[in-house]
Amino acid sequence: MSKLKIIFVLFIILFAVSGCERIADKVILPPDTTPAGTQPLTVMTYNVYVGSSAAPLLSVENLGQVPGEVATMYNNVMASDFPSRAVAIAKSINAHQPHIVGLQEISLIRRQSPGDLLLGGTVSAEEVVLDYLDILMDALQAEGLSYQVAAQVENLDIEMPMVMGTDLLDVRLTDYDVILSRSDVEISNPMTANYENALTIEMLGLVVKRGYAAVDATVSGVTYRVVNTHLEAFIEESRVAQTQELVDILSGETMPIILLGDFNTPAPDGTAYQMLLSAGYVDVWSLDNWPYACCLDANNPGCNACAMENRKANDIIGKLHAMRAGNESGNTCCQDDDILNEVSDLTVRIDQIFVRNMDLSLPVLSFTVGDKPSDRLPSGLWPSDHAGVVAQFTFE
């Protein structure tokens, strides 16, 4: 027998006895027959970062420290250059064009000069310094995208005095959580509310309101209840109470739920995180261990059917590993307060996407954005102190 025939026979024997293995890199699959009109559902959550940590202000020991701490925070916010960062965030949105985007720390910064708070005045600051929502919507439009505000909830609205040199000003910060929807998504039944449980800073006479926004979003004929929230960051007791409120509010919902946001609870061990799992929510980031396999025996009539059944799953898994390269753990927080650190410093996963009442027959392609060295601005700034998270759901 010639060498060529021997090699051919050995190849046939090896192919016949090789048993069952993963499809990836093993089988040439038949052409994809997925209907052209079938599209995945893509959602994103992104904490865009106001631009400064509030911790020093919230922990002052006497009211005399307030004007100086407010000035420091204000200067930090200006230095964080949200208009430029918004361009980078818009580019991330353009790269994946999610149907729904949940945004946190969408800020409206206003001031009054001269200020009157320290003199007992009650006139609210109305001069707009930065309107993060307008800035981001302009950046999205510049990318050629068409998004609309589907719902927004007003949370904290606080005005404080600030000393800049010899000038006395009042500065006002209003915080929002916002849901954006792509123009081809049908939106209905918007709802917003603040949690009854809120952190109180007695020294400042301040109640740190948090809330959620929700809409019904219809994509490819299926309607989802989409909820976006930003839970308390500083005190776990408040965060846990807010989580219980949210679980109770959504407990009777029978539609598929997509719950996204900055939950400020680390996966997998955070108390609030575990509460959501116990309530039946599934963290889509964890859906990355799908042991799909396919028989390679050419004489097995079920082999081709196996390949057809699992080609989507294995294709998604391949994309998932590629998209997660560099941040396989999914950590989303936090870069340095000035967001100028050269190396990404994300150590915890607190920005998450959960689902409930959804039949997930295929893996979910979930990955982070805004956390790669190439995402940094020419100035060295990161787009945010958080990474964004994208989830793409593919259906049969």
Side-chain angles (χ1 to χ4, degrees):
M1 186 180 295
S2 70
K3 289 184 179 180
L4 181 61
K5 288 183 178 180
I6 293 173
I7 291 172
F8 181 76
V9 170
L10 288 175
F11 178 79
I12 294 296
I13 294 172
L14 177 63
F15 193 81
V17 301
S18 59
C20 291
E21 302 287 347
R22 290 184 180 273
I23 299 175
D25 302 323
K26 296 286 186 178
V27 175
I28 299 176
L29 299 174
D32 191 355
T33 58
T34 301
T38 301
Q39 64 170 326
L41 167 70
T42 304
V43 299
M44 173 187 282
T45 182
Y46 215 136
N47 181 327
V48 304
Y49 187 42
V50 63
S52 179
S53 171
L57 174 61
L58 297 181
S59 59
V60 295
E61 297 181 355
N62 64 77
L63 294 178
Q65 297 174 276
V66 169
E69 291 294 349
V70 172
T72 297
M73 185 173 178
Y74 181 87
N75 288 333
N76 290 344
V77 169
M78 295 302 108
S80 77
D81 189 11
F82 184 72
S84 295
R85 296 194 288 114
V87 172
I89 293 169
K91 289 185 181 299
S92 288
I93 293 175
N94 191 17
H96 306 289
Q97 300 195 17
H99 295 88
I100 294 289
V101 184
L103 301 169
Q104 305 86 44
E105 292 193 24
I106 292 293
S107 305
L108 175 59
I109 299 170
R110 289 169 281 188
R111 71 180 185 180
Q112 179 177 307
S113 179
D116 66 355
L117 278 176
L118 288 182
L119 303 176
T122 58
V123 177
S124 296
E126 297 294 348
E127 178 193 347
V128 175
V129 178
L130 290 171
D131 185 330
Y132 284 31
L133 184 56
D134 279 355
I135 293 168
L136 182 58
M137 296 302 284
D138 287 346
L140 291 171
Q141 187 175 21
E143 288 290 316
L145 302 175
S146 181
Y147 281 85
Q148 63 184 353
V149 177
Q152 64 178 12
V153 60
E154 179 182 307
N155 299 311
L156 176 72
D157 185 7
I158 181 67
E159 187 168 342
M160 290 187 175
M162 171 176 77
V163 175
M164 299 283 283
T166 60
D167 296 329
L168 176 63
L169 303 91
D170 294 339
V171 178
R172 181 180 177 189
L173 169 65
T174 311
D175 170 75
Y176 299 90
D177 298 326
V178 176
I179 296 176
L180 300 183
S181 60
R182 217 170 64 185
S183 59
D184 59 339
V185 177
E186 180 183 340
I187 296 296
S188 60
N189 195 23
M191 177 182 176
T192 63
N194 295 114
Y195 297 113
E196 293 182 5
N197 293 275
L199 171 65
T200 299
I201 309 296
E202 293 184 3
M203 172 65 71
L204 301 175
L206 173 63
V207 177
V208 183
K209 290 197 296 183
R210 304 274 185 174
Y212 65 91
V215 296
D216 291 348
T218 302
V219 178
S220 297
V222 179
T223 301
Y224 306 86
R225 190 61 172 166
V226 180
V227 184
N228 175 39
T229 193
H230 187 186
L231 299 181
E232 178 52 50
F234 296 101
I235 301 296
E236 184 175 46
E237 182 180 358
S238 296
R239 179 166 58 251
V240 167
Q242 290 167 1
T243 303
Q244 188 61 58
E245 283 189 55
L246 190 58
V247 166
D248 292 344
I249 289 164
L250 297 174
S251 62
E253 183 59 70
T254 57
M255 284 194 301
I257 297 175
I258 300 174
L259 175 59
L260 44 80
D262 177 357
F263 295 86
N264 277 310
T265 182
D269 300 321
T271 302
Y273 179 89
Q274 287 297 321
M275 289 172 64
L276 289 167
L277 297 188
S278 297
Y281 290 88
V282 176
D283 174 9
V284 300
W285 188 273
S286 66
L287 300 177
D288 61 354
N289 185 24
W290 291 69
Y292 287 92
C294 184
C295 179
L296 297 178
D297 185 353
N299 295 317
N300 185 338
C303 192
N304 190 52
C306 174
M308 284 295 295
E309 179 181 352
N310 292 315
R311 68 167 295 135
K312 279 188 178 180
N314 284 272
D315 182 53
I316 293 169
I317 290 171
K319 290 180 180 177
L320 183 147
H321 290 301
M323 296 300 290
R324 290 189 179 182
N327 190 2
E328 290 80 3
S329 62
N331 290 337
T332 62
C333 185
C334 290
Q335 310 294 5
D336 291 355
D337 289 346
D338 63 6
I339 52 176
L340 283 170
N341 46 297
E342 292 187 9
V343 178
S344 182
D345 195 25
L346 307 178
T347 57
V348 291
R349 186 164 70 86
I350 61 176
D351 302 82
Q352 297 140 1
I353 299 174
F354 296 92
V355 297
R356 207 189 82 199
N357 304 336
M358 285 182 67
D359 181 15
L360 300 175
S361 58
L362 288 169
V364 178
L365 179 60
S366 183
F367 52 91
T368 56
V369 295
D371 55 348
K372 311 298 187 296
S374 59
D375 294 319
R376 296 177 71 199
L377 281 61
S379 63
L381 293 166
W382 290 96
S384 172
D385 66 335
H386 287 239
V389 184
V390 177
Q392 186 177 90
F393 303 85
T394 303
F395 305 104
E396 295 289 357

